[in-house]
Amino acid sequence: MLTDLFTPSVQYSLDIAGIFVFAISGALLAVRKNFDVFGMAVLASVTALGGGLFRDVMIGDLPPTAFTDLGYFVTPLVATVLVFFLHPEVERITRAVGVFDAAGLGLFCVAGTTKAYDYGLGLTSSAALGLATAVGGGVLRDVLANEIPSLLRWDRDLYAVPAMVGAVTTALLIRFDALDATTSALAATMAFTVRLLAMHFGWRAPRAWNRRSTATEEM
């Protein structure tokens, strides 16, 4: 199987690391929204696990891993506890959290694409589910927090595009039978790098051509 690119222990560690960082971002948004501890746990869990749950349901991998592995379930709760008690300190290292979030984005778009392909989907559909795996949790987080999803907003740095780069690169590697541990790491690194560059230089996706609306963007 393509998902057997890394040893089980390495793959598991990467998954847990990505889940933890995504959960941190969800819990921090809950703090900014003045949610209680239950709301923090919900946003942390949805952010960390939402994309993977969607992917697993779509490909028929049931029950989803998030419900069969205690580590996947507990990690967002650990992140919630950390943010609950130390959120001022965590807020101060938001830049570092953003870097780890970018790493999680790269890992999840590659893992999502390969798993979808393993379950019989075509390359295009696999890349689409790889993208959904990486950004789906963030979309659910923003919807629950009553915000326009970040990846739909022009005034936010590119987020979906880096995940698309990683997912499409992975699909192309599969197409040319070139996917292995090294090239999959390269695909994840490409997504990670594009996201970091977008954060550093403020890259944004273009809006409609000859846009004449005078409405101001919601900040």
Side-chain angles (χ1 to χ4, degrees), residues 13-36:
S13 298
L14 292 174
D15 285 347
I16 293 297
I19 288 170
F20 181 77
V21 175
F22 280 175
I24 289 286
S25 70
L28 284 174
L29 178 59
V31 171
R32 298 185 193 113
K33 288 287 186 175
N34 203 29
F35 288 4
D36 63 16

Side-chain angles (χ1 to χ4, degrees), residues 42-61:
V42 169
L43 278 198
S45 298
V46 164
T47 307
L49 304 174
L53 283 170
F54 175 77
R55 176 203 61 212
D56 289 350
V57 169
M58 293 299 294
I59 63 179
D61 183 17

Side-chain angles (χ1 to χ4, degrees), residues 8-136:
S9 60
V10 171
Q11 183 65 55
Y12 187 75
S13 298
L14 292 174
D15 285 347
I16 293 297
I19 288 170
F20 181 77
V21 175
F22 280 175
I24 289 286
S25 70
L28 284 174
L29 178 59
V31 171
R32 298 185 193 113
K33 288 287 186 175
N34 203 29
F35 288 4
D36 63 16
V37 65
F38 179 75
M40 291 174 62
V42 169
L43 278 198
S45 298
V46 164
T47 307
L49 304 174
L53 283 170
F54 175 77
R55 176 203 61 212
D56 289 350
V57 169
M58 293 299 294
I59 63 179
D61 183 17
L62 301 173
T65 305
F67 292 115
T68 59
D69 189 298
L70 188 61
Y72 284 71
F73 186 79
V74 170
T75 299
L77 302 181
V78 173
T80 299
V81 172
L82 176 68
V83 173
F84 182 83
F85 287 106
L86 301 175
H87 65 87
E89 288 74 15
V90 176
E91 287 279 11
R92 293 192 192 102
I93 59 169
T94 298
R95 186 71 178 179
V97 172
V99 172
F100 286 112
D101 180 86
L105 187 80
L107 292 170
F108 279 21
C109 68
V110 172
T113 302
T114 55
K115 184 169 183 177
Y117 186 78
D118 274 338
Y119 275 77
L121 271 66
L123 291 176
T124 302
S125 298
S126 296
L129 272 187
L131 171 62
T133 303
V135 306

